[in-house]
Coordinates of all heavy atoms in Angstrom, one line a residue:
M148 N -42.0 200.8 -3.7 CA -42.3 199.8 -4.6 C -43.6 200.0 -5.3 O -44.6 200.2 -4.6 CB -42.2 198.4 -3.9 CG -42.4 197.2 -4.8 SD -42.0 195.7 -3.9 CE -43.4 194.8 -4.3
T149 N -43.7 199.9 -6.6 CA -45.0 200.1 -7.3 C -45.6 198.7 -7.6 O -44.9 197.8 -8.0 CB -44.7 200.8 -8.7 OG1 -44.0 202.0 -8.4 CG2 -46.0 201.0 -9.4
V150 N -46.9 198.6 -7.3 CA -47.6 197.4 -7.5 C -48.8 197.6 -8.5 O -49.6 198.5 -8.3 CB -48.2 196.8 -6.2 CG1 -49.0 195.6 -6.4 CG2 -47.1 196.6 -5.2
K151 N -48.9 196.9 -9.6 CA -50.0 197.0 -10.5 C -51.3 196.5 -9.9 O -51.3 195.4 -9.4 CB -49.6 196.2 -11.8 CG -50.7 196.4 -12.9 CD -50.2 195.7 -14.1 CE -51.3 195.7 -15.2 NZ -50.9 194.9 -16.4
I152 N -52.3 197.4 -9.9 CA -53.6 197.0 -9.3 C -54.5 196.5 -10.4 O -55.3 195.5 -10.1 CB -54.2 198.3 -8.6 CG1 -53.3 198.8 -7.6 CG2 -55.6 198.0 -8.1 CD1 -53.0 197.9 -6.4
G153 N -54.5 197.0 -11.5 CA -55.3 196.6 -12.6 C -55.2 197.4 -13.8 O -54.5 198.4 -13.9
E154 N -55.9 197.1 -14.9 CA -55.9 197.9 -16.1 C -57.3 197.7 -16.8 O -58.0 196.7 -16.6 CB -54.8 197.5 -17.0 CG -54.8 196.1 -17.5 CD -53.6 195.7 -18.3 OE1 -52.5 196.3 -18.0 OE2 -53.7 194.9 -19.2
G155 N -57.6 198.7 -17.7 CA -58.8 198.6 -18.5 C -58.5 199.2 -19.8 O -57.7 200.1 -20.0
T156 N -59.3 198.8 -20.8 CA -59.2 199.4 -22.1 C -60.5 200.1 -22.5 O -61.6 199.7 -22.0 CB -58.9 198.3 -23.2 OG1 -59.9 197.3 -23.1 CG2 -57.5 197.7 -22.9
S157 N -60.4 201.1 -23.3 CA -61.5 201.8 -23.7 C -61.3 202.4 -25.1 O -60.2 202.2 -25.7 CB -61.8 203.0 -22.8 OG -63.1 203.6 -23.1
E158 N -62.3 203.0 -25.7 CA -62.1 203.6 -27.0 C -62.4 205.1 -26.9 O -63.3 205.5 -26.1 CB -63.2 203.0 -27.9 CG -63.1 203.3 -29.4 CD -64.0 202.5 -30.2 OE1 -63.9 201.3 -30.3 OE2 -65.0 203.1 -30.7
M159 N -61.6 205.9 -27.6 CA -61.7 207.4 -27.5 C -63.1 207.7 -28.1 O -63.5 207.2 -29.2 CB -60.6 208.0 -28.3 CG -59.2 207.9 -27.7 SD -59.1 208.8 -26.1 CE -59.3 210.5 -26.6
T160 N -63.8 208.6 -27.4 CA -65.1 209.1 -27.9 C -65.0 210.4 -28.7 O -66.0 210.9 -29.2 CB -66.1 209.3 -26.7 OG1 -65.5 210.2 -25.8 CG2 -66.3 207.9 -26.0
G161 N -63.8 210.9 -28.7 CA -63.6 212.2 -29.5 C -62.1 212.3 -29.7 O -61.3 211.6 -29.2
D162 N -61.7 213.4 -30.5 CA -60.3 213.7 -30.7 C -59.7 214.4 -29.5 O -60.4 215.2 -28.8 CB -60.2 214.5 -32.0 CG -60.7 213.8 -33.2 OD1 -60.8 212.6 -33.2 OD2 -60.9 214.6 -34.2
A163 N -58.4 214.1 -29.3 CA -57.7 214.9 -28.3 C -56.3 215.2 -28.8 O -55.6 214.2 -29.2 CB -57.6 214.0 -27.0
K164 N -55.9 216.4 -28.8 CA -54.6 216.8 -29.3 C -53.6 216.8 -28.1 O -54.0 216.9 -26.9 CB -54.6 218.2 -29.9 CG -55.5 218.2 -31.2 CD -55.5 219.5 -31.9 CE -56.3 219.4 -33.1 NZ -56.3 220.5 -34.0
K165 N -52.3 216.8 -28.4 CA -51.3 216.8 -27.4 C -51.4 218.1 -26.5 O -50.9 218.1 -25.3 CB -49.9 216.8 -28.0 CG -49.6 215.5 -28.6 CD -48.1 215.4 -29.0 CE -47.7 216.3 -30.2 NZ -46.4 216.1 -30.6
T166 N -51.9 219.2 -27.0 CA -52.0 220.4 -26.2 C -53.3 220.5 -25.3 O -53.4 221.4 -24.5 CB -52.1 221.6 -27.2 OG1 -53.2 221.4 -28.1 CG2 -50.8 221.7 -28.0
E167 N -54.2 219.5 -25.5 CA -55.4 219.6 -24.7 C -55.3 218.7 -23.4 O -54.5 217.8 -23.3 CB -56.6 219.0 -25.5 CG -56.9 219.8 -26.8 CD -58.0 219.2 -27.6 OE1 -57.9 218.0 -27.8 OE2 -58.9 220.0 -28.0
D168 N -56.0 219.1 -22.4 CA -56.1 218.4 -21.2 C -57.1 217.2 -21.3 O -58.1 217.3 -21.9 CB -56.6 219.2 -20.0 CG -55.6 220.2 -19.5 OD1 -54.4 220.0 -19.8 OD2 -56.0 221.2 -18.9
M169 N -56.6 216.0 -20.8 CA -57.5 214.8 -20.8 C -57.7 214.6 -19.3 O -56.9 214.9 -18.5 CB -56.8 213.6 -21.4 CG -56.8 213.7 -22.9 SD -56.1 212.2 -23.6 CE -57.5 211.0 -23.3
K170 N -58.9 214.0 -19.0 CA -59.2 213.6 -17.6 C -59.5 212.2 -17.5 O -60.2 211.6 -18.4 CB -60.4 214.5 -17.1 CG -60.0 215.9 -17.0 CD -61.2 216.8 -16.5 CE -60.8 218.2 -16.5 NZ -61.9 219.0 -15.9
V171 N -59.1 211.5 -16.4 CA -59.4 210.2 -16.0 C -60.1 210.2 -14.7 O -59.5 210.8 -13.7 CB -58.2 209.2 -16.1 CG1 -58.6 207.9 -15.6 CG2 -57.6 209.2 -17.5
S172 N -61.2 209.5 -14.5 CA -61.9 209.5 -13.2 C -61.8 208.1 -12.6 O -61.9 207.1 -13.3 CB -63.4 209.9 -13.4 OG -63.5 211.2 -13.9
L173 N -61.6 208.1 -11.3 CA -61.6 206.8 -10.5 C -62.6 206.8 -9.4 O -62.6 207.8 -8.6 CB -60.2 206.6 -9.9 CG -59.9 205.3 -9.2 CD1 -60.1 204.1 -10.1 CD2 -58.5 205.4 -8.6
K174 N -63.5 205.9 -9.4 CA -64.6 205.8 -8.4 C -64.8 204.4 -8.0 O -64.8 203.5 -8.8 CB -65.8 206.4 -9.0 CG -67.0 206.4 -8.1 CD -68.3 206.9 -8.8 CE -69.4 206.8 -7.8 NZ -70.7 207.1 -8.5
V175 N -64.9 204.2 -6.7 CA -65.3 202.9 -6.2 C -66.8 202.8 -6.4 O -67.6 203.8 -6.2 CB -65.0 202.8 -4.7 CG1 -65.5 201.5 -4.1 CG2 -63.5 202.9 -4.4
S176 N -67.3 201.7 -6.9 CA -68.7 201.6 -7.4 C -69.7 202.0 -6.4 O -70.7 202.6 -6.8 CB -69.0 200.1 -7.8 OG -68.9 199.3 -6.7
Y177 N -69.5 201.8 -5.1 CA -70.6 202.2 -4.1 C -70.3 203.6 -3.5 O -71.1 204.1 -2.8 CB -70.7 201.2 -3.0 CG -69.4 201.0 -2.3 CD1 -69.0 201.8 -1.2 CD2 -68.5 199.9 -2.6 CE1 -67.8 201.6 -0.6 CE2 -67.3 199.7 -2.0 CZ -67.0 200.6 -0.9 OH -65.8 200.4 -0.3
A178 N -69.2 204.2 -3.8 CA -68.8 205.5 -3.2 C -69.5 206.7 -3.9 O -69.7 206.6 -5.2 CB -67.3 205.7 -3.2
E179 N -69.8 207.7 -3.2 CA -70.3 208.9 -3.9 C -69.2 209.8 -4.4 O -69.4 210.5 -5.4 CB -71.1 209.8 -2.8 CG -72.4 209.1 -2.4 CD -73.2 209.9 -1.5 OE1 -73.0 211.1 -1.5 OE2 -73.9 209.3 -0.7
K180 N -68.0 209.7 -3.8 CA -66.9 210.6 -4.2 C -66.1 210.0 -5.4 O -66.0 208.7 -5.5 CB -65.9 210.8 -3.1 CG -66.6 211.7 -2.0 CD -65.6 212.0 -0.9 CE -66.2 212.8 0.2 NZ -65.3 213.1 1.3
M181 N -65.5 210.8 -6.2 CA -64.8 210.4 -7.4 C -63.5 211.2 -7.4 O -63.5 212.4 -7.2 CB -65.6 210.6 -8.6 CG -64.9 210.1 -9.9 SD -65.9 210.2 -11.4 CE -67.3 211.3 -11.0
K182 N -62.4 210.6 -7.7 CA -61.1 211.3 -7.9 C -60.9 211.4 -9.4 O -61.2 210.6 -10.2 CB -59.9 210.5 -7.3 CG -59.9 210.6 -5.8 CD -59.4 211.9 -5.4 CE -59.0 212.0 -4.0 NZ -58.5 213.2 -3.6
E183 N -60.3 212.6 -9.8 CA -60.1 212.8 -11.2 C -58.6 213.4 -11.4 O -58.2 214.2 -10.5 CB -61.1 213.9 -11.6 CG -61.1 214.1 -13.1 CD -62.3 215.0 -13.5 OE1 -62.1 216.3 -13.4 OE2 -63.3 214.5 -13.8
I184 N -57.9 212.9 -12.4 CA -56.6 213.4 -12.7 C -56.7 214.0 -14.1 O -57.5 213.6 -14.9 CB -55.5 212.3 -12.6 CG1 -55.8 211.2 -13.6 CG2 -55.4 211.7 -11.2 CD1 -54.5 210.4 -13.9
T185 N -55.8 215.0 -14.3 CA -55.7 215.7 -15.6 C -54.3 215.5 -16.1 O -53.4 215.7 -15.3 CB -56.1 217.2 -15.4 OG1 -57.4 217.3 -14.8 CG2 -56.1 217.9 -16.7
F186 N -54.2 215.3 -17.4 CA -52.9 215.2 -18.0 C -53.0 215.6 -19.5 O -54.1 215.6 -20.0 CB -52.3 213.8 -17.9 CG -53.1 212.7 -18.6 CD1 -52.7 212.3 -19.8 CD2 -54.2 212.2 -18.0 CE1 -53.5 211.3 -20.5 CE2 -55.0 211.2 -18.6 CZ -54.6 210.8 -19.9
K187 N -51.9 215.8 -20.1 CA -51.8 216.1 -21.5 C -51.3 214.8 -22.2 O -50.3 214.3 -21.8 CB -50.9 217.3 -21.9 CG -51.5 218.6 -21.3 CD -50.8 219.8 -21.9 CE -51.2 221.1 -21.4 NZ -52.6 221.3 -21.3
P188 N -52.0 214.3 -23.2 CA -51.5 213.1 -23.9 C -50.2 213.3 -24.6 O -49.9 214.5 -25.0 CB -52.6 212.7 -24.9 CG -53.3 214.0 -25.1 CD -53.2 214.8 -23.9
L189 N -49.3 212.3 -24.7 CA -48.0 212.4 -25.4 C -48.1 212.4 -26.9 O -47.2 212.7 -27.6 CB -47.1 211.3 -24.9 CG -46.8 211.4 -23.4 CD1 -45.9 210.2 -23.0 CD2 -46.1 212.7 -23.0
E190 N -49.3 212.0 -27.4 CA -49.5 212.1 -28.9 C -51.0 212.4 -29.1 O -51.8 212.2 -28.3 CB -49.1 210.8 -29.6 CG -49.9 209.6 -29.2 CD -49.4 208.3 -30.0 OE1 -48.3 207.9 -29.7 OE2 -50.2 207.8 -30.8
D191 N -51.3 212.9 -30.3 CA -52.7 213.2 -30.7 C -53.5 211.9 -30.8 O -53.0 210.8 -31.2 CB -52.7 213.9 -32.1 CG -52.1 215.3 -32.0 OD1 -52.0 215.8 -31.0 OD2 -51.8 215.8 -33.1
L192 N -54.7 211.9 -30.3 CA -55.6 210.8 -30.3 C -56.8 211.1 -31.1 O -57.3 212.3 -31.1 CB -56.0 210.4 -28.9 CG -54.9 210.0 -28.0 CD1 -55.3 209.9 -26.5 CD2 -54.3 208.6 -28.4
K193 N -57.4 210.1 -31.8 CA -58.5 210.4 -32.6 C -59.7 209.5 -32.1 O -59.5 208.5 -31.5 CB -58.2 210.0 -34.1 CG -57.2 210.9 -34.7 CD -57.0 210.5 -36.2 CE -56.0 211.5 -36.8 NZ -55.6 211.1 -38.1
K194 N -60.9 209.9 -32.4 CA -62.1 209.2 -32.1 C -61.9 207.7 -32.6 O -61.6 207.5 -33.8 CB -63.3 209.8 -32.7 CG -64.6 209.1 -32.3 CD -65.8 209.9 -32.9 CE -67.1 209.1 -32.5 NZ -68.3 209.9 -33.1
G195 N -62.2 206.8 -31.8 CA -62.1 205.4 -32.2 C -60.8 204.7 -31.8 O -60.7 203.5 -31.8
D196 N -59.7 205.5 -31.5 CA -58.5 204.9 -31.0 C -58.7 204.1 -29.7 O -59.5 204.6 -28.9 CB -57.4 206.0 -30.7 CG -56.8 206.6 -32.0 OD1 -57.1 206.1 -33.1 OD2 -56.1 207.6 -31.9
K197 N -58.1 203.0 -29.6 CA -58.2 202.2 -28.4 C -57.1 202.7 -27.4 O -55.9 202.9 -27.8 CB -58.0 200.7 -28.7 CG -59.0 200.2 -29.7 CD -59.7 199.0 -29.1 CE -60.6 198.3 -30.1 NZ -61.9 198.8 -30.1
V198 N -57.4 202.8 -26.2 CA -56.4 203.2 -25.1 C -56.5 202.3 -24.0 O -57.6 201.7 -23.7 CB -56.7 204.7 -24.6 CG1 -56.4 205.7 -25.8 CG2 -58.1 204.9 -24.1
K199 N -55.4 202.1 -23.3 CA -55.4 201.2 -22.1 C -55.0 202.1 -20.9 O -54.0 202.9 -21.0 CB -54.4 200.1 -22.2 CG -54.3 199.2 -21.0 CD -53.5 197.9 -21.2 CE -52.3 198.0 -21.9 NZ -51.5 196.7 -21.8
I200 N -55.7 202.0 -19.8 CA -55.4 202.7 -18.6 C -54.9 201.7 -17.5 O -55.6 200.7 -17.3 CB -56.6 203.5 -18.1 CG1 -57.1 204.5 -19.1 CG2 -56.4 204.2 -16.7 CD1 -58.5 205.0 -18.9
T201 N -53.7 202.0 -17.0 CA -53.2 201.1 -15.9 C -53.2 201.8 -14.6 O -52.8 203.0 -14.5 CB -51.7 200.7 -16.3 OG1 -51.7 200.1 -17.6 CG2 -51.1 199.7 -15.3
V202 N -53.6 201.1 -13.5 CA -53.6 201.7 -12.2 C -52.6 200.9 -11.4 O -52.5 199.7 -11.3 CB -55.0 201.5 -11.6 CG1 -55.0 202.0 -10.2 CG2 -56.1 202.2 -12.4
E203 N -51.7 201.7 -10.7 CA -50.7 201.2 -9.9 C -50.7 201.8 -8.5 O -51.0 203.0 -8.3 CB -49.3 201.5 -10.5 CG -49.1 200.8 -11.8 CD -47.8 201.1 -12.5 OE1 -47.1 202.1 -12.0 OE2 -47.4 200.4 -13.4
K204 N -50.4 201.0 -7.5 CA -50.3 201.5 -6.1 C -48.8 202.0 -6.0 O -47.9 201.2 -6.3 CB -50.6 200.4 -5.1 CG -50.5 200.9 -3.7 CD -50.8 199.8 -2.7 CE -50.6 200.2 -1.3 NZ -50.9 199.1 -0.4
I205 N -48.6 203.2 -5.5 CA -47.2 203.7 -5.3 C -46.9 204.0 -3.9 O -47.8 204.1 -3.1 CB -47.0 204.9 -6.2 CG1 -48.0 206.0 -6.0 CG2 -47.0 204.5 -7.7 CD1 -47.8 207.3 -6.7

């Protein structure tokens, strides 16, 4: 069962094409370690586009 933990919105700081790798980092505020995932976007993104990131427990 998947449970939604939270979500956040941000703005692209640069262009990203469907062929490029994007990275998202997850860090607990007091922790030294950070987890990073890499993925290819399903569509081209431009600087200034708004994006929403959803975190789910699986």
Side-chain angles (χ1 to χ4, degrees):
M148 184 168 130
T149 303
V150 178
K151 182 176 173 182
I152 301 298
E154 64 186 28
T156 57
S157 187
E158 192 173 289
M159 292 294 296
T160 58
D162 297 343
K164 296 185 180 187
K165 292 191 291 187
T166 57
E167 297 177 314
D168 286 339
M169 289 186 67
K170 295 181 180 182
V171 175
S172 300
L173 180 63
K174 179 182 177 187
V175 176
S176 62
Y177 58 83
E179 292 182 24
K180 294 183 180 181
M181 181 174 18
K182 285 288 196 176
E183 191 173 84
I184 63 162
T185 303
F186 65 96
K187 293 194 185 311
L189 298 177
E190 64 178 66
D191 293 343
L192 298 167
K193 294 183 180 170
K194 182 179 180 178
D196 284 350
K197 300 234 189 269
V198 294
K199 178 168 48 173
I200 299 163
T201 303
V202 179
E203 298 177 343
K204 180 180 176 182
I205 53 174

